[in-house]
Amino acid sequence: MRRFALIALLVACGGAVAPVATPADDTPKEASIVVTEAMGSPHIGEAAPDFDLSDVNGGHVKLSSLRGSVVMLAFVTSWCPFSEAEQPNLQKLADDYRGKNVRVLAIDIKEPEVGYRKYLGRVPMAFPVLWDQTGDVVASFTPAHAQPDITDRSTVLVTSNLVIDPVGKIRFFTMGDTAHFDAKLVFARRTIDAVLAEGG
Amino acid sequence: MLCCMAGLTACGAAPRAALETPTWERPGLGGAVRPEMGSPQPNEVAPDFTLPKTAGGELRLSSLRGSWVVMHFTATWCPYCDAEIAHLGEIANDYAPHGVKVVVIALQEDHDRWVSYSKERLLPSVTAVEDKTGAVALTYAPPHAQPSFKDRSQVAFDTTLIVDPHGVIRLFLLPDTAHFDPKFGGVRGELDRLVGASRSRAGAKDAPVAADVLDPEDVVRVDAHRSLSAIDVRLEIAPGYHIMSDHPTDPYAIATVVRAGSVSARFPSGQDYRVGDKILSTFSGSIIASIPSSDLVGPVTVRYQACTASRCLAPITREVPTN
């Protein structure tokens, strides 16, 4: 405590003291907000709701058709700076797990086409970016008591990430956490590794 | 007294502050910026700006010196900001009697969209300004906060600040969705502590009670008399008010200056004014400042900032004729 006090004092006074944390390592010590049973369904341990959504090219993905693979699922929008910061790291995750039975999907939440295309246009992404035009799919994933103060319920899961195991069960489910923002998806990768290890 | 509160934030008082629980570990303040994130930080002067007001005209932040200011960066697309915005108006209403002003800064918004949104969602007690380019937001983005953001101006969105009557940041909160409180409980707690605490100290003992907010010019009655060897300037300070002395012992305080041409007045000793564990040098009641020259012509200039125990008025520079 006393040591901390001294550092805080020197920092406060503009003294030449090195910062107390390394800014380059921005991985938070704890995971983003974890979706728990108390927030309602679905939550970790439950089956992921099925969906069948199209992408911009007219292709479509049915979640249940991916049984047997590990699915990394990200809910995104073009307007959220956290979604934007995470975007290149989703592609990097897809690259790093290529050939390892991991499928990456992003779902753009209820945006007009201009917003959806803005998201698509930012970073080249070699995985399906699906378009939930009506918001029905995100609604089926939104726990009723998560962020109860947010009135537009379709925005509760912006920058949420899920890992779904080969039998369709949710193994990782976090919501956008501004104070513990895991832009590099380190915590999701840990779960993916653990689920892959089970299969191996 | 409140005008002197900033003194507590200076380095002289840091050992005590540092031994207290860090701001971000206190309830409702988990989003507080950390020292390692870089500037701006609490205890630094809030970056000044001039932005167009949604209602017309311009707002310069430094023109609000003398008042406590709550600042909040918002955007119409941000669901958390949307849940908060009505409660900013409640803060403005609840704390207006304490001299607190609330300024909301719309970040990179289309003007028409913001106008219709703010008409519907924002109480008129809040001053709305628009940072169309994000240039001002950029000055409120600590360089090591949200390191993954490429557009650095976005670091400031949904942040909340408390700025004291000297323009010094006293609280700087980044959004914290894990402990989301749209009613700003943490900010209100800090306002109570910062503004309310100084009020209750003022109410103690038998300190004279200040008249309800006076015009800065009305707080100090000034007249100047020429004698053979000096110009004697009498300052009569209204009951319940004080001004800083000519040597206020506080880097943020505005020193009282009385001069004729380039010649400054000599003052009596200041009176000790206690704020927490810090003692400031002030004047109250009636004092005479003496300019040691009688052959100067032209008016006498007087500069001061007047404060009560709970708020400070804008600094003022006046010209006083001699007789």
Side-chain angles (χ1 to χ4, degrees), chain B residues 61-140:
Chain B
L61 178 64
S62 55
S63 74
L64 300 180
R65 293 273 164 95
S67 295
W68 288 88
V69 179
V70 173
M71 274 168 57
H72 182 77
F73 286 88
T74 197
T76 58
W77 50 261
C78 162
Y80 295 92
C81 308
D82 184 59
E84 290 167 331
I85 198 159
H87 298 294
L88 282 173
E90 289 166 11
I91 289 181
N93 292 344
D94 292 350
Y95 289 87
H98 303 253
V100 176
K101 294 189 161 61
V102 179
V103 175
V104 65
I105 302 162
L107 181 47
Q108 290 166 323
E109 282 290 333
D110 171 72
H111 175 71
D112 294 337
R113 184 185 159 101
W114 169 251
V115 166
S116 63
Y117 178 85
S118 57
K119 248 182 208 159
E120 189 190 322
R121 310 284 280 124
L122 199 60
L123 292 176
S125 48
V126 176
T127 303
V129 297
E130 295 171 47
D131 182 13
K132 182 93 178 121
T133 63
V136 170
L138 203 53
T139 67
Y140 283 87

Side-chain angles (χ1 to χ4, degrees), chain A residues 51 53 55 59-74 89-107 126-130 161-166 185 188 192-193 195-196:
Chain A
F51 59 78
L53 281 176
D55 68 16
H60 71 100
V61 175
K62 187 172 168 66
L63 180 65
S64 54
S65 73
L66 302 179
R67 291 280 153 85
S69 297
V70 180
V71 177
M72 168 78 204
L73 175 62
N89 296 308
L90 275 173
Q91 178 55 43
K92 188 163 190 317
L93 188 148
D95 287 342
D96 291 349
Y97 285 89
R98 181 157 298 134
K100 287 184 180 169
N101 197 27
V102 175
R103 298 289 300 268
V104 177
L105 301 175
I107 297 180
F127 57 85
V129 179
L130 306 168
N161 294 305
L162 294 93
V163 175
I164 299 162
D165 71 12
L185 304 166
I192 292 171
D193 292 340
V195 175
L196 287 173

Side-chain angles (χ1 to χ4, degrees), chain A residues 1 4-5 8-9 11-13 19-21 23 26 33 79-82 84-85 147 149-151 155-156 176-181 183, chain B residues 11 14-15 18-22 24 30 35-36 43 77-80 82-83 144 146-149 154 157 175-180 182:
Chain A
M1 190 66 189
F4 171 79
L9 166 62
V11 170
C13 294
V20 291
D26 51 300
I33 306 163
W79 46 256
C80 176
F82 293 91
E84 182 177 354
Q147 298 294 13
D149 294 303
I150 302 297
T151 45
T155 59
V156 170
D177 189 333
T178 53
H180 311 101
F181 177 48
Chain B
C11 292
L19 284 170
E20 290 170 359
T21 311
W24 52 88
E36 63 267 26
N43 301 344
W77 50 261
C78 162
Y80 295 92
D82 184 59
H144 302 300
Q146 305 297 9
S148 59
F149 282 23
Q154 304 231 302
F157 98 81
D176 180 7
T177 55
H179 306 96
F180 181 55

Side-chain angles (χ1 to χ4, degrees), chain B residues 303-323:
Chain B
R303 175 168 172 77
Y304 59 85
Q305 182 175 30
C307 301
T308 68
S310 61
R311 66 169 297 184
C312 290
L313 306 179
I316 184 172
T317 303
R318 297 166 56 183
E319 288 195 344
V320 181
T322 55
N323 53 36

